[in-house]
Amino acid sequence: MAANMRGLTQFIADIRGARVRELEEKRINKEMANIRKKFKAWCSCHAADGNLDGYQKKKYVAKIIFTYILGYKVDVGHMEAVNLISSSKYSEKQIGYLAVTLLMHENSDFLRLVVNSIRKDLDENNEVSNCLALHAIANVGSSEMAEALSEDVHRLLISPTSQTFVKKKAALTLLRLYRKHPTVIPAAEWALRLVSIMDDQDLGVVICVTSLIMALAQDHLDAYAVCYTKAVDRLHRLVIEGEYSATYAYYKVPSPWLQVKLLRLLQYYAPSEDATLRSVLHEVLQTIMNNSAEPSRNVQHNNAQHAVLFEAISLAIHLDASSPLVGTSAILLARFISSKETNVRYLGLDTMAHLAARADSLEPLKKHQGTIILSLRDKDISVRRRALDLLYSMCDTDNSELIVGELLRYLKVADYALREEMVLKIAILTEKYANSYKWYVDTILQLISAAGDHVGDEVWYRVVQIVTNTEDLQEYAAKVVFEHLKSPSTHESLVKVGGYILGEYGHLIANDTGYSPLEQFQVLHSKSQFCVASTRSLLLSTYIKWVNVFPEIKPQLINIFERYRHVLDAELQQRACEFYALASRPDDDEVLQNVCEEMPPFPPRVSALIGRLNRKLGDTEDKRTWIHGGKEMNLERHANSRKATLGPGSSATGTTTVTGNTDVQDVMSSLAGLNLSSPGEQSDPSRVDSSVVAPRVAVGPSVEKWFNKLIYSADGVLYEDVQIQIGVKSRYQGHLGQLAIYLGNKISVPLTSFTSTIHVNDSEALSATFAKIPPNILVPRTQSQQLLHVECKKAFSSFPILTVSFLAGAHQSVSIRLPISVTKFIEGVKLGQADFFERWKVIGGPPREAQAVFPITLDGTGQLDLVRYRQVVSGNHLEILGDVDPNPNNLVAAGVLHTSVDGKVGCLLRLEPNREAKLCRLTVRSTSDDVAAEVLRLIEKLLRLDSS
């Protein structure tokens, strides 16, 4: 850049040649004055062919940029930079964009002037201009710019004519805008179109789009659910089929960055119930683990392999913590936590903490407990932090005393950055896994003594609550806290605990040797001179309690109240005056006794410590799908997060908002007896029930006609338009069925990013899964077959919906109902006249009987269309019985519905058409109310079609 501009080159040389700062400032001031003069002259006469051409403006703006980079404040050149953006020359446009991104902050008024220029560059069929504009949007990223240009950036990303490097920059620009202004991006609306780009031929584009989808999917899980299949398919093609170019092989590892992102994306979703996807994922994870079984001598290869491996292990744990894959993972992790490489030890400990958070049994981890404890003394603080997290997660009633003891010993030498977190975790573990209340009190008091200033109010509040609520513990707690107060140096938090417990329960030990009222008073009061006003206020409350129970030390206590009546602190003075008045009343006065009654038990509540820890460890990166603290805490967190997803505390992006004063609220509510749950724990409708909506199905006379015909026939056309044809061929046996879905491409170009998904309203009644992951390209003028396996578990009433989406210039999507009804799983049964009517009577009338009377039309000869009636009834898999009904026009049929959960369900049918009345009575009886109603609905609809 500078080589082409002599003035800029000379300016840089002069600056570098300046020996002292004064000379540098003098040269810069001189140059800035000259630039102002030139720009001012240009502004005054540019209407009459100004005297500054594009080259000169570019040169002067470049000097301003260099001055700004050196750290000097500049207040000139903004308008000229805006003008340079509109230039047709790349070198001038580049300097203009560079100046805009460096000199203008996101709230600058000048940005409004460049929005139209940036939009013009985004619309140009010039990749370089596109990229410069995208850089500027991503770097500045103002709210106004996001609102004005996000649609243009999205258009560049999805345009089939955009170059690959433009698509990559567009995806990352959208990611930047979404992270800064999530409400501006219509994430759910763009979901299907963005996910379709995951099938792009260029892996670079796929990596960038996957990064974008990871951010969007975290807040819009249901809208981006289709990305699950895409991610599994891409992983299969990368890892199993080796479908990638050599450009994206990093030390023989196929695109490790993409693998890591896809494996992480899959962890955002609950494990799939699709057996095909589970099988493919298992194969992918098994291959990844086999490839990493033996380390390579090449460090870079190992790094890439380990990055993929650790994410694969995390996914395996997420899918099923008791699977054989996780057993293999535990063996690998045991090797990694003893590795010489710091990064490997770090990742090993972190992944093992994930396993501890999900595993049903901690026994495999306890074998390596010694190694994990040694990691607390690792030279790297990040490894020490991960070891602390792992110990916290793997603690249970069996090893709690050992782990808490080790953490207490380590606390004395731990880094200051770790101590507050350690205190919270020790306090939580001590309370949660205490084998006895005495051990709990001993441990917490040791913790308060050792940690000092790192002990938050929540810790000693919790001690007070537990001691108050446990009568058997009160005497022991009073003795232990008294012994701790005897030590020469006592932290103020311990004085608070001692003041409260001795004030409430000191009388329980007053008759024991060494614990007399006078000794309690002397020990506690000796600490008051080192305490702040709030602690002294608490001690005054202790003293007034003692006035009531220890009359022998009443003179000393009244003397203290007298002295504190004259202090400057208003709170202390008010308490002292009130307490002095109470203490000075006659001994037989009941007011003092009533005021100083023992504190009642606190209402049961959740510990505030866990909420405090979760806020302290809030996500600063991609949202974790688990938290430290064992399986129970993760199950509870999962339940609470589902409840709070759409609650009143949720923001527009789906994340829960927390008020800035939560620490104070938690502390106050801790003593007020309120429910102390973490901020996200609010009960509202769950994500799954409230947001899973069936796709809108295609409609039309032909579509309805084809669908209705397939209800009582095995094969035929289901949907057809100018681009695609969908046909179905089916067969059923018992409660199982198989559909061959034929997808035909009728046009002369391939249908890319081809996706087929099945939506089932009631997955507990019907399951439908593809035999294999559908191909993502449908070549021209050809037909592809996909096998769909279905299973009837219970009676159901809604049809599954097939959604087909593809790219054919634009993104298109078609949703159609599949002709899978409950009658498809019926098997016809042959019965004689006696058997039929015997069963008919046994089943009885309503509610096991469903009946309808409806009009019918006659055929061209004025007769009943008996052939059609037989076709509909037998097409619904019911066996038509002859010689049962004496009226030859009546139809009688029987069948058995096969289900995997409810077993076999009998079904009997009578169809009685009346030619004179042009009416038909249809009666269905079944051992199941639901089956009778559903069979009646299906057959009545098909027979009504003739009359409509």
PDB file of all heavy atoms in Angstrom, residues 502-522:
ATOM      1  N   LEU A 502     -24.187 -18.761  69.986  1.00  0.00           N
ATOM      2  CA  LEU A 502     -24.073 -18.616  71.447  1.00  0.00           C
ATOM      3  C   LEU A 502     -25.238 -17.800  72.001  1.00  0.00           C
ATOM      4  O   LEU A 502     -25.703 -18.041  73.125  1.00  0.00           O
ATOM      5  CB  LEU A 502     -22.739 -17.967  71.798  1.00  0.00           C
ATOM      6  CG  LEU A 502     -21.494 -18.847  71.564  1.00  0.00           C
ATOM      7  CD1 LEU A 502     -20.222 -18.073  71.894  1.00  0.00           C
ATOM      8  CD2 LEU A 502     -21.553 -20.133  72.383  1.00  0.00           C
ATOM      9  N   GLY A 503     -25.711 -16.819  71.249  1.00  0.00           N
ATOM     10  CA  GLY A 503     -26.846 -16.044  71.715  1.00  0.00           C
ATOM     11  C   GLY A 503     -28.102 -16.891  71.822  1.00  0.00           C
ATOM     12  O   GLY A 503     -28.911 -16.725  72.741  1.00  0.00           O
ATOM     13  N   GLU A 504     -28.284 -17.823  70.886  1.00  0.00           N
ATOM     14  CA  GLU A 504     -29.487 -18.662  70.886  1.00  0.00           C
ATOM     15  C   GLU A 504     -29.338 -19.881  71.789  1.00  0.00           C
ATOM     16  O   GLU A 504     -30.285 -20.279  72.476  1.00  0.00           O
ATOM     17  CB  GLU A 504     -29.792 -19.123  69.445  1.00  0.00           C
ATOM     18  CG  GLU A 504     -30.234 -18.010  68.509  1.00  0.00           C
ATOM     19  CD  GLU A 504     -31.586 -17.434  68.882  1.00  0.00           C
ATOM     20  OE1 GLU A 504     -32.421 -18.184  69.433  1.00  0.00           O
ATOM     21  OE2 GLU A 504     -31.794 -16.232  68.654  1.00  0.00           O
ATOM     22  N   TYR A 505     -28.131 -20.499  71.777  1.00  0.00           N
ATOM     23  CA  TYR A 505     -27.982 -21.802  72.432  1.00  0.00           C
ATOM     24  C   TYR A 505     -26.851 -21.855  73.449  1.00  0.00           C
ATOM     25  O   TYR A 505     -26.462 -22.928  73.892  1.00  0.00           O
ATOM     26  CB  TYR A 505     -27.767 -22.896  71.366  1.00  0.00           C
ATOM     27  CG  TYR A 505     -28.750 -22.791  70.225  1.00  0.00           C
ATOM     28  CD1 TYR A 505     -28.343 -22.436  68.935  1.00  0.00           C
ATOM     29  CD2 TYR A 505     -30.112 -23.003  70.456  1.00  0.00           C
ATOM     30  CE1 TYR A 505     -29.245 -22.311  67.906  1.00  0.00           C
ATOM     31  CE2 TYR A 505     -31.034 -22.870  69.418  1.00  0.00           C
ATOM     32  CZ  TYR A 505     -30.598 -22.536  68.159  1.00  0.00           C
ATOM     33  OH  TYR A 505     -31.504 -22.403  67.143  1.00  0.00           O
ATOM     34  N   GLY A 506     -26.288 -20.689  73.802  1.00  0.00           N
ATOM     35  CA  GLY A 506     -25.218 -20.661  74.804  1.00  0.00           C
ATOM     36  C   GLY A 506     -25.679 -21.173  76.157  1.00  0.00           C
ATOM     37  O   GLY A 506     -24.880 -21.749  76.927  1.00  0.00           O
ATOM     38  N   HIS A 507     -26.985 -21.016  76.462  1.00  0.00           N
ATOM     39  CA  HIS A 507     -27.485 -21.477  77.760  1.00  0.00           C
ATOM     40  C   HIS A 507     -27.447 -22.993  77.886  1.00  0.00           C
ATOM     41  O   HIS A 507     -27.470 -23.542  78.994  1.00  0.00           O
ATOM     42  CB  HIS A 507     -28.914 -20.973  77.974  1.00  0.00           C
ATOM     43  CG  HIS A 507     -29.892 -21.516  76.954  1.00  0.00           C
ATOM     44  ND1 HIS A 507     -30.018 -20.974  75.705  1.00  0.00           N
ATOM     45  CD2 HIS A 507     -30.774 -22.559  77.015  1.00  0.00           C
ATOM     46  CE1 HIS A 507     -30.944 -21.639  75.031  1.00  0.00           C
ATOM     47  NE2 HIS A 507     -31.414 -22.620  75.814  1.00  0.00           N
ATOM     48  N   LEU A 508     -27.369 -23.716  76.731  1.00  0.00           N
ATOM     49  CA  LEU A 508     -27.334 -25.176  76.785  1.00  0.00           C
ATOM     50  C   LEU A 508     -26.016 -25.705  77.322  1.00  0.00           C
ATOM     51  O   LEU A 508     -25.947 -26.843  77.791  1.00  0.00           O
ATOM     52  CB  LEU A 508     -27.584 -25.755  75.374  1.00  0.00           C
ATOM     53  CG  LEU A 508     -28.934 -25.418  74.721  1.00  0.00           C
ATOM     54  CD1 LEU A 508     -28.994 -25.988  73.305  1.00  0.00           C
ATOM     55  CD2 LEU A 508     -30.088 -25.969  75.563  1.00  0.00           C
ATOM     56  N   ILE A 509     -24.948 -24.901  77.236  1.00  0.00           N
ATOM     57  CA  ILE A 509     -23.627 -25.356  77.702  1.00  0.00           C
ATOM     58  C   ILE A 509     -23.143 -24.543  78.900  1.00  0.00           C
ATOM     59  O   ILE A 509     -22.005 -24.721  79.361  1.00  0.00           O
ATOM     60  CB  ILE A 509     -22.592 -25.262  76.552  1.00  0.00           C
ATOM     61  CG1 ILE A 509     -22.431 -23.811  76.078  1.00  0.00           C
ATOM     62  CG2 ILE A 509     -22.989 -26.154  75.384  1.00  0.00           C
ATOM     63  CD1 ILE A 509     -21.308 -23.613  75.075  1.00  0.00           C
ATOM     64  N   ALA A 510     -23.983 -23.639  79.401  1.00  0.00           N
ATOM     65  CA  ALA A 510     -23.531 -22.710  80.452  1.00  0.00           C
ATOM     66  C   ALA A 510     -23.150 -23.428  81.742  1.00  0.00           C
ATOM     67  O   ALA A 510     -22.315 -22.927  82.518  1.00  0.00           O
ATOM     68  CB  ALA A 510     -24.625 -21.681  80.730  1.00  0.00           C
ATOM     69  N   ASN A 511     -23.698 -24.612  82.000  1.00  0.00           N
ATOM     70  CA  ASN A 511     -23.405 -25.337  83.253  1.00  0.00           C
ATOM     71  C   ASN A 511     -22.194 -26.251  83.128  1.00  0.00           C
ATOM     72  O   ASN A 511     -21.768 -26.846  84.120  1.00  0.00           O
ATOM     73  CB  ASN A 511     -24.628 -26.165  83.674  1.00  0.00           C
ATOM     74  CG  ASN A 511     -25.813 -25.291  84.018  1.00  0.00           C
ATOM     75  OD1 ASN A 511     -25.634 -24.169  84.515  1.00  0.00           O
ATOM     76  ND2 ASN A 511     -27.026 -25.766  83.744  1.00  0.00           N
ATOM     77  N   ASP A 512     -21.632 -26.371  81.920  1.00  0.00           N
ATOM     78  CA  ASP A 512     -20.446 -27.216  81.729  1.00  0.00           C
ATOM     79  C   ASP A 512     -19.193 -26.434  82.095  1.00  0.00           C
ATOM     80  O   ASP A 512     -19.131 -25.203  81.925  1.00  0.00           O
ATOM     81  CB  ASP A 512     -20.352 -27.690  80.284  1.00  0.00           C
ATOM     82  CG  ASP A 512     -21.528 -28.579  79.898  1.00  0.00           C
ATOM     83  OD1 ASP A 512     -22.254 -29.020  80.819  1.00  0.00           O
ATOM     84  OD2 ASP A 512     -21.707 -28.829  78.690  1.00  0.00           O
ATOM     85  N   THR A 513     -18.192 -27.159  82.569  1.00  0.00           N
ATOM     86  CA  THR A 513     -16.936 -26.523  82.965  1.00  0.00           C
ATOM     87  C   THR A 513     -16.259 -25.885  81.759  1.00  0.00           C
ATOM     88  O   THR A 513     -16.091 -26.525  80.713  1.00  0.00           O
ATOM     89  CB  THR A 513     -15.991 -27.565  83.587  1.00  0.00           C
ATOM     90  OG1 THR A 513     -16.676 -28.230  84.655  1.00  0.00           O
ATOM     91  CG2 THR A 513     -14.727 -26.897  84.103  1.00  0.00           C
ATOM     92  N   GLY A 514     -15.847 -24.632  81.929  1.00  0.00           N
ATOM     93  CA  GLY A 514     -15.156 -23.925  80.856  1.00  0.00           C
ATOM     94  C   GLY A 514     -16.063 -23.205  79.907  1.00  0.00           C
ATOM     95  O   GLY A 514     -15.596 -22.547  78.967  1.00  0.00           O
ATOM     96  N   TYR A 515     -17.406 -23.309  80.114  1.00  0.00           N
ATOM     97  CA  TYR A 515     -18.353 -22.676  79.199  1.00  0.00           C
ATOM     98  C   TYR A 515     -19.334 -21.779  79.961  1.00  0.00           C
ATOM     99  O   TYR A 515     -20.461 -21.568  79.531  1.00  0.00           O
ATOM    100  CB  TYR A 515     -19.154 -23.728  78.421  1.00  0.00           C
ATOM    101  CG  TYR A 515     -18.303 -24.662  77.607  1.00  0.00           C
ATOM    102  CD1 TYR A 515     -18.036 -25.954  78.062  1.00  0.00           C
ATOM    103  CD2 TYR A 515     -17.765 -24.257  76.389  1.00  0.00           C
ATOM    104  CE1 TYR A 515     -17.255 -26.822  77.318  1.00  0.00           C
ATOM    105  CE2 TYR A 515     -16.982 -25.122  75.629  1.00  0.00           C
ATOM    106  CZ  TYR A 515     -16.730 -26.408  76.102  1.00  0.00           C
ATOM    107  OH  TYR A 515     -15.947 -27.257  75.360  1.00  0.00           O
ATOM    108  N   SER A 516     -18.885 -21.233  81.090  1.00  0.00           N
ATOM    109  CA  SER A 516     -19.770 -20.414  81.913  1.00  0.00           C
ATOM    110  C   SER A 516     -20.192 -19.161  81.156  1.00  0.00           C
ATOM    111  O   SER A 516     -19.531 -18.742  80.203  1.00  0.00           O
ATOM    112  CB  SER A 516     -19.054 -20.008  83.207  1.00  0.00           C
ATOM    113  OG  SER A 516     -17.975 -19.128  82.907  1.00  0.00           O
ATOM    114  N   PRO A 517     -21.290 -18.539  81.594  1.00  0.00           N
ATOM    115  CA  PRO A 517     -21.750 -17.315  80.898  1.00  0.00           C
ATOM    116  C   PRO A 517     -20.679 -16.235  80.840  1.00  0.00           C
ATOM    117  O   PRO A 517     -20.522 -15.569  79.810  1.00  0.00           O
ATOM    118  CB  PRO A 517     -22.941 -16.878  81.744  1.00  0.00           C
ATOM    119  CG  PRO A 517     -23.465 -18.138  82.336  1.00  0.00           C
ATOM    120  CD  PRO A 517     -22.277 -18.996  82.597  1.00  0.00           C
ATOM    121  N   LEU A 518     -19.924 -16.070  81.941  1.00  0.00           N
ATOM    122  CA  LEU A 518     -18.890 -15.039  81.948  1.00  0.00           C
ATOM    123  C   LEU A 518     -17.801 -15.353  80.930  1.00  0.00           C
ATOM    124  O   LEU A 518     -17.319 -14.459  80.217  1.00  0.00           O
ATOM    125  CB  LEU A 518     -18.285 -14.919  83.359  1.00  0.00           C
ATOM    126  CG  LEU A 518     -17.226 -13.828  83.522  1.00  0.00           C
ATOM    127  CD1 LEU A 518     -17.823 -12.451  83.206  1.00  0.00           C
ATOM    128  CD2 LEU A 518     -16.644 -13.861  84.940  1.00  0.00           C
ATOM    129  N   GLU A 519     -17.411 -16.641  80.830  1.00  0.00           N
ATOM    130  CA  GLU A 519     -16.375 -17.020  79.853  1.00  0.00           C
ATOM    131  C   GLU A 519     -16.878 -16.838  78.424  1.00  0.00           C
ATOM    132  O   GLU A 519     -16.128 -16.385  77.546  1.00  0.00           O
ATOM    133  CB  GLU A 519     -15.963 -18.476  80.100  1.00  0.00           C
ATOM    134  CG  GLU A 519     -15.153 -18.663  81.375  1.00  0.00           C
ATOM    135  CD  GLU A 519     -14.908 -20.127  81.679  1.00  0.00           C
ATOM    136  OE1 GLU A 519     -15.901 -20.878  81.827  1.00  0.00           O
ATOM    137  OE2 GLU A 519     -13.739 -20.522  81.768  1.00  0.00           O
ATOM    138  N   GLN A 520     -18.125 -17.186  78.184  1.00  0.00           N
ATOM    139  CA  GLN A 520     -18.686 -16.960  76.848  1.00  0.00           C
ATOM    140  C   GLN A 520     -18.663 -15.479  76.495  1.00  0.00           C
ATOM    141  O   GLN A 520     -18.277 -15.094  75.381  1.00  0.00           O
ATOM    142  CB  GLN A 520     -20.131 -17.476  76.789  1.00  0.00           C
ATOM    143  CG  GLN A 520     -20.276 -18.987  76.852  1.00  0.00           C
ATOM    144  CD  GLN A 520     -21.725 -19.426  76.665  1.00  0.00           C
ATOM    145  OE1 GLN A 520     -22.439 -18.874  75.823  1.00  0.00           O
ATOM    146  NE2 GLN A 520     -22.145 -20.427  77.430  1.00  0.00           N
ATOM    147  N   PHE A 521     -19.062 -14.639  77.461  1.00  0.00           N
ATOM    148  CA  PHE A 521     -19.083 -13.197  77.228  1.00  0.00           C
ATOM    149  C   PHE A 521     -17.689 -12.655  76.953  1.00  0.00           C
ATOM    150  O   PHE A 521     -17.472 -11.878  76.017  1.00  0.00           O
ATOM    151  CB  PHE A 521     -19.716 -12.501  78.443  1.00  0.00           C
ATOM    152  CG  PHE A 521     -19.506 -11.009  78.444  1.00  0.00           C
ATOM    153  CD1 PHE A 521     -20.144 -10.208  77.510  1.00  0.00           C
ATOM    154  CD2 PHE A 521     -18.642 -10.416  79.369  1.00  0.00           C
ATOM    155  CE1 PHE A 521     -19.946  -8.831  77.504  1.00  0.00           C
ATOM    156  CE2 PHE A 521     -18.432  -9.048  79.350  1.00  0.00           C
ATOM    157  CZ  PHE A 521     -19.091  -8.246  78.420  1.00  0.00           C
ATOM    158  N   GLN A 522     -16.709 -13.076  77.761  1.00  0.00           N
ATOM    159  CA  GLN A 522     -15.348 -12.560  77.615  1.00  0.00           C
ATOM    160  C   GLN A 522     -14.745 -12.955  76.263  1.00  0.00           C
ATOM    161  O   GLN A 522     -14.103 -12.144  75.583  1.00  0.00           O
ATOM    162  CB  GLN A 522     -14.473 -13.070  78.765  1.00  0.00           C
ATOM    163  CG  GLN A 522     -14.800 -12.441  80.111  1.00  0.00           C
ATOM    164  CD  GLN A 522     -14.056 -13.087  81.259  1.00  0.00           C
ATOM    165  OE1 GLN A 522     -13.524 -14.196  81.126  1.00  0.00           O
ATOM    166  NE2 GLN A 522     -14.025 -12.400  82.406  1.00  0.00           N
TER     167      GLN A 522
END
